[in-house]
């Protein structure tokens, strides 16, 4: 029983404190708890207060909100069932709409809020429209929420919607409003970092996330975002202190463990990786980042056979996993199986976007088997040529991220040259879709599908037609095929829902 005392005594003290407080005081303290992310404390406080004032609708609804904040939908619904004459109040209907939304019933949520024009209602409606795949209606609802006086949370939701949609200038506009109202708010600081990342402004992103870490030292996400940027820049000495802090706050955070592995791999500390993972080898999910990092460590430590086994398992589970295929090709090459290595590496190296980590082993494999592509691959791996290509690829990716469509169009046209590369064609189709050049987008997309009917190319072809408002039956058919092949892809699923609505 003594082991329970440290947990039970504070809760008992909290309950006793709540007994002597007025309902208004309890509500104020509970709102502070919820604002600080302490939903559990709010629940204890409100549940105790409800015993003294069982008919207080304000306490009932705030307690339901606390349950929802913890993801306890059933608990929220049970609490709301205690409402009497206030069951049909606007606030109660909003809570019921949130419950419906969390249960995947977006249409019911919209029905409950049909006559509610408040900022909170409009924000919930925006979430419901997003769940239905109707981004245009979601955009209008978010704007309505802001116009109705929505605060920082609504602005942050809207900004993240715009950020995901690639509307960086509009995101920046919303962010400026957030900075004017509350420059030190958590959402404001983190959004500034995310927007800088989207624009490829690494230094500015580091500054923004550092501000968030300094202002909110108990929040893990900005720590990990900053650590990720440091890791990408090779600043591993700066990464580890952030991971140590994050692990202290959230010991079971899987991202922290994954990032530690990336640091070790970046430092080529292969023995440390092997020592960390070898006792858990049987538990590693095939194709996971940890399993492939472990396989690469074994390859670099002179155990290519074991690396080949791990990579083979991964490819069986995930045939399109680029990292698994690369590791398998390299492991086969290291075990003397040049034909097997070439069979895996040749498709990876064929694309115009292939990087040096693929081209170099592919070139060795091609030379070993006397493949006709050997000379061309040797030229592509010449340092000067490889540097030019990788710089161009990086420029294209940065332009896509930043929504610089004219720049991206020029880069990918250069990379395409005279070849029919489906990956480059798909990027060109996507860029032209964003530029509202529908006919050109469809032409590029159809050329990609003619080379390969992989789901990502079907998706781009369907999206080009859907966004252009043309050939909607064909768009629907292409998106259906893409969704059947990749049922877990959220972007494909959202486009399919929008196509179904557009096709009637």
């Amino acid at each position: 029983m003594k082991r329970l005392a440290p947990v039970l005594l504070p809760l008992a003290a909290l309950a006793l404190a709540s007994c002597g407080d007025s309902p208004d005081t309890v509500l104020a303290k509970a709102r502070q708890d919820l604002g600080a992310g302490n939903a559990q404390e709010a629940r204890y406080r409100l549940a105790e207060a409800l015993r003294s004032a069982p008919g207080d609708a304000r306490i009932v609804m705030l307690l339901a909100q606390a349950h929802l904040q913890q993801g306890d939908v059933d608990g929220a619904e049970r609490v709301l069932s205690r409402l009497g004459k206030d069951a049909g109040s606007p606030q109660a209907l909003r809570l019921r709409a949130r419950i419906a939304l969390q249960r995947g019933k977006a249409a019911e949520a919209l029905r409950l809020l049909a006559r509610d024009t408040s900022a909170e209602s409009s924000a919930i409606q925006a979430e419901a429209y997003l769940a239905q795949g109707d981004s245009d209606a979601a955009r209008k609802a978010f704007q309505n929420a802001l116009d109705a006086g929505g605060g920082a949370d609504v602005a942050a939701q809207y900004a993240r919607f715009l950020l995901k949609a690639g509307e960086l200038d509009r995101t920046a506009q919303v962010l400026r409003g957030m900075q004017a109202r509350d420059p030190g708010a958590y959402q404001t600081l983190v959004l500034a970092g995310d927007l800088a990342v989207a624009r490829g402004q690494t230094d500015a992103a580091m500054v923004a996330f550092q501000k968030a870490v300094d202002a909110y030292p108990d929040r893990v996400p900005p720590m990990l975002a900053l650590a990720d940027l440091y890791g990408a820049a090779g600043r591993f000495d700066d990464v580890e202190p952030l991971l140590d802090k994050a692990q202290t706050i959230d010991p079971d955070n899987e991202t922290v463990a994954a990032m530690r592995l990336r640091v070790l791999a970046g430092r080529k500390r292969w023995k440390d990786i092997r020592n960390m993972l070898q006792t858990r080898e049987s538990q590693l999910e095939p194709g996971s980042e940890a399993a492939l990092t472990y396989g690469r460590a074994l390859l670099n430590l002179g155990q290519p056979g074991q690396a080949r086994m791990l990579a083979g398992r991964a490819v069986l589970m995930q045939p399109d996993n680029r990292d698994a295929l690369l590791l398998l090709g390299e492991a086969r090459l290291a075990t003397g199986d040049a034909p097997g290595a070439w069979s895996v590496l040749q498709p990876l190296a064929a694309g115009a976007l292939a990087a040096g980590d693929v081209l170099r082993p592919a070139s060795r494999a091609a030379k070993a088997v006397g493949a006709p592509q050997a000379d061309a691959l040797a030229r592509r791996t010449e340092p000067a040529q490889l540097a030019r290509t990788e710089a161009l690829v990086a420029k294209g990716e940065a332009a896509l991220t930043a929504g610089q469509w004219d720049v991206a169009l020029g880069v990918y046209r250069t990379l395409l040259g005279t070849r029919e590369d489906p990956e480059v064609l798909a990027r060109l189709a996507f860029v032209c879709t964003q530029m509202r050049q529908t006919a050109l987008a469809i032409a590029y997309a159809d050329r990609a599908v003619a080379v390969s009917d992989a789901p990502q190319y079907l998706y781009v072809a369907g999206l080009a037609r859907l966004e252009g408002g043309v050939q909607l039956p064909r768009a629907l058919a292409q998106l259906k095929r893409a969704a059947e092949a990749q049922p877990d892809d959220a972007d494909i699923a959202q486009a399919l829902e929008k196509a179904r609505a557009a096709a009637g």
Side-chain angles (χ1 to χ4, degrees):
M1 291 299 293
K2 287 183 180 179
R3 293 181 62 189
L4 294 177
V7 176
L8 294 179
L9 285 178
L11 298 182
L14 180 61
L16 288 172
S18 297
C19 287
D21 289 336
S22 69
D24 287 342
T25 301
V26 171
L27 288 166
K29 289 179 178 179
R31 289 191 183 98
Q32 288 178 349
D33 288 334
L34 291 175
N38 299 324
Q40 189 64 36
E41 286 83 350
R43 282 177 61 175
Y44 285 122
R45 202 183 293 279
L46 292 164
E48 185 63 29
L50 201 56
R51 293 190 183 96
S52 303
D56 194 319
R58 298 171 304 164
I59 297 176
V60 170
M61 287 190 277
L62 197 59
L63 180 56
Q65 185 179 327
H67 278 278
L68 282 176
Q69 189 164 311
Q70 288 190 307
D72 182 6
V73 180
D74 291 338
E77 194 161 48
R78 282 195 301 272
V79 170
L80 283 180
S81 68
R82 302 178 64 171
L83 285 175
K85 60 183 178 60
D86 295 292
S89 67
Q91 186 179 354
L93 291 177
R94 287 172 212 146
L95 287 166
R96 294 191 187 283
R98 288 195 181 279
I99 290 171
L101 195 54
Q102 289 196 31
R103 286 185 166 152
K105 300 177 180 179
E108 182 180 342
L110 291 170
R111 180 184 61 77
L112 288 166
L113 302 175
R115 298 182 179 181
D116 191 343
T117 59
S118 68
E120 183 183 355
S121 171
S122 295
I124 299 170
Q125 290 176 51
E127 292 180 54
Y129 286 127
L130 284 177
Q132 292 181 328
D134 191 343
S135 57
D136 290 337
R139 183 191 311 276
K140 291 176 184 176
F142 274 128
Q143 190 59 57
N144 288 342
L146 284 185
D147 293 343
D153 287 345
V154 171
Q157 281 182 282
Y158 187 25
R160 296 215 165 274
F161 163 76
L162 294 167
L163 189 63
K164 185 179 179 182
E167 297 183 35
L168 303 189
D169 290 342
R170 181 72 181 115
T171 304
Q173 185 179 352
V174 176
L175 175 60
R176 284 193 292 272
M178 294 169 65
Q179 290 169 331
R181 287 193 300 270
D182 195 350
Y186 176 77
Q187 293 278 23
T188 304
L189 295 174
V190 173
L191 181 64
D194 289 336
L195 178 59
V197 169
R199 284 179 159 168
Q201 299 167 343
T202 303
D203 291 342
M206 288 179 179
V207 171
F209 286 129
Q210 185 63 63
K211 286 181 180 178
V213 170
D214 293 340
Y216 299 89
D218 60 336
R219 302 289 183 98
V220 169
M223 291 181 196
L224 298 183
L226 183 57
D228 192 44
L229 291 172
Y230 284 150
R235 293 172 54 177
F236 300 121
D237 288 340
D238 293 317
V239 174
E240 291 185 325
L242 288 166
L243 296 183
D244 290 341
K245 289 179 184 176
Q247 189 165 26
T248 300
I249 297 167
D250 186 0
D252 299 323
N253 192 301
E254 294 181 2
T255 303
V256 174
M259 293 183 77
R260 286 197 188 281
L261 276 180
R262 287 178 212 153
V263 170
L264 291 174
R267 285 177 160 166
K268 302 190 185 303
R269 287 166 53 177
W270 306 118
K271 288 184 179 179
D272 290 341
I273 292 173
R274 181 181 61 185
N275 293 341
M276 181 186 298
L277 296 177
Q278 62 184 353
T279 59
R280 298 195 290 119
E281 180 179 335
S282 62
Q283 301 168 7
L284 298 177
E285 183 180 348
S288 66
E289 183 179 4
L292 295 178
T293 302
Y294 180 51
R296 186 153 297 282
L298 294 173
L299 180 63
N300 282 279
L301 291 171
Q303 297 176 256
Q306 199 169 352
R308 179 172 178 167
M309 179 188 67
L310 286 168
R313 283 182 195 161
V315 171
L316 281 174
M317 299 293 291
Q318 303 172 13
D320 297 323
N321 187 321
R322 182 256 192 202
D323 292 333
L325 290 165
L326 175 57
L327 179 61
L328 179 60
E330 290 181 274
R332 284 180 175 176
L333 197 58
T335 56
D337 181 10
W342 176 240
S343 69
V344 172
L345 295 171
Q346 189 272 333
L348 295 180
L353 305 178
D357 62 341
V358 168
L359 293 174
R360 283 185 285 266
S363 179
R364 294 197 301 272
K367 183 177 180 181
V369 300
Q373 298 95 327
D375 289 343
L377 280 170
R379 287 192 295 274
R380 291 178 70 186
T381 55
E382 290 174 357
Q385 177 62 37
L386 186 57
R388 283 194 296 271
T389 302
E390 289 188 335
L392 200 56
V393 171
K395 183 179 179 181
E397 291 298 315
L400 281 181
T401 300
Q404 297 172 339
W405 308 123
D406 288 337
V407 174
L409 186 64
V411 167
Y412 290 118
R413 279 176 170 166
T414 300
L415 285 167
L416 182 64
T418 58
R419 68 177 75 190
E420 287 293 275
D421 185 310
E423 193 63 34
V424 179
L425 287 165
R427 280 168 164 73
L428 284 166
F430 178 78
V431 169
C432 289
T433 298
Q434 302 306 310
M435 298 175 73
R436 306 301 183 197
Q437 297 182 13
T438 301
L440 194 54
I442 291 173
Y444 280 130
D446 287 350
R447 285 166 63 185
V449 172
V451 178
S452 169
D453 63 351
Q456 63 266 33
Y457 307 137
L458 289 167
Y459 162 68
V460 171
L463 187 68
R465 291 174 166 84
L466 177 62
E467 294 298 323
V470 300
Q471 302 175 20
L472 294 180
R474 188 170 179 187
L476 181 59
Q478 288 172 322
L479 291 168
K480 279 183 179 177
R481 288 176 60 195
E484 288 167 0
Q486 282 188 217
D488 296 329
D489 190 300
D491 290 332
I492 294 176
Q494 185 173 347
L496 177 58
E497 286 303 309
K498 186 174 180 179
R500 283 174 173 153

